[in-house]
Amino acid sequence: QVHLVESGGGLVQPGGSLRLSCAASGSIFQINGMAWYRQAPGKQRELVARITSDNSTNYVDSVKGRFTVSRDDAENTVYLQMTSLKPEDTAVYYCSGDIQDRFGHFWDPWGQGTQVTVSS
């Protein structure tokens, strides 16, 4: 099996920054596309940022210019650097990915989520 674990969430003031991490573990052969999602209370889960295996990225309009997604394949980890945070960024952030294990199986796991709260 393949697992994802997010970390790095917390409470931050408006205008502040946080860096989220998503570490993959298991019998990993290759990590293909990875993505960050978020879900605010009472709202549907939305795609925030995505990064492909060749480091192409795209973002939801509301975070463009403020968030940056990156990956470290040697560490099987994807990051989400968040700057100029706003109260409306408050949500539980999840990562998900397209991962191939050493047995040739493909997985699309989700992490457990990490809470980000932007408040003064």
Side-chain angles (χ1 to χ4, degrees):
Q1 278 196 335
V2 175
H3 302 277
L4 299 176
V5 177
E6 302 98 337
S7 61
L11 173 63
V12 63
Q13 292 187 342
S17 299
L18 282 175
R19 188 176 81 155
L20 305 184
S21 300
C22 171
S25 63
S27 300
I28 297 169
F29 171 71
Q30 181 173 284
I31 297 177
N32 299 313
M34 294 289 293
W36 285 95
Y37 292 78
R38 67 185 179 187
Q39 187 166 20
K43 294 187 176 182
Q44 289 189 332
R45 188 173 297 188
E46 69 168 346
L47 176 64
V48 176
R50 184 164 44 197
I51 185 166
T52 65
S53 57
D54 62 356
N55 286 315
S56 295
T57 59
N58 53 50
Y59 302 89
V60 67
D61 286 347
S62 59
V63 308
K64 284 180 181 177
R66 301 188 298 121
F67 289 13
T68 303
V69 59
S70 61
R71 58 191 289 162
D72 182 341
D73 289 339
E75 297 293 330
N76 290 332
T77 300
V78 176
Y79 303 97
L80 185 67
Q81 178 69 49
M82 306 185 294
T83 64
S84 302
L85 282 161
K86 305 175 181 180
E88 51 264 43
D89 294 318
T90 295
V92 178
Y93 284 71
Y94 301 88
C95 65
S96 180
D98 175 17
I99 301 174
Q100 184 179 7
D101 69 20
R102 294 173 183 170
F103 306 101
H105 303 133
F106 289 88
W107 301 83
D108 55 351
W110 288 80
Q112 82 290 350
T114 186
Q115 176 71 48
V116 172
T117 302
V118 185
S119 174
S120 55

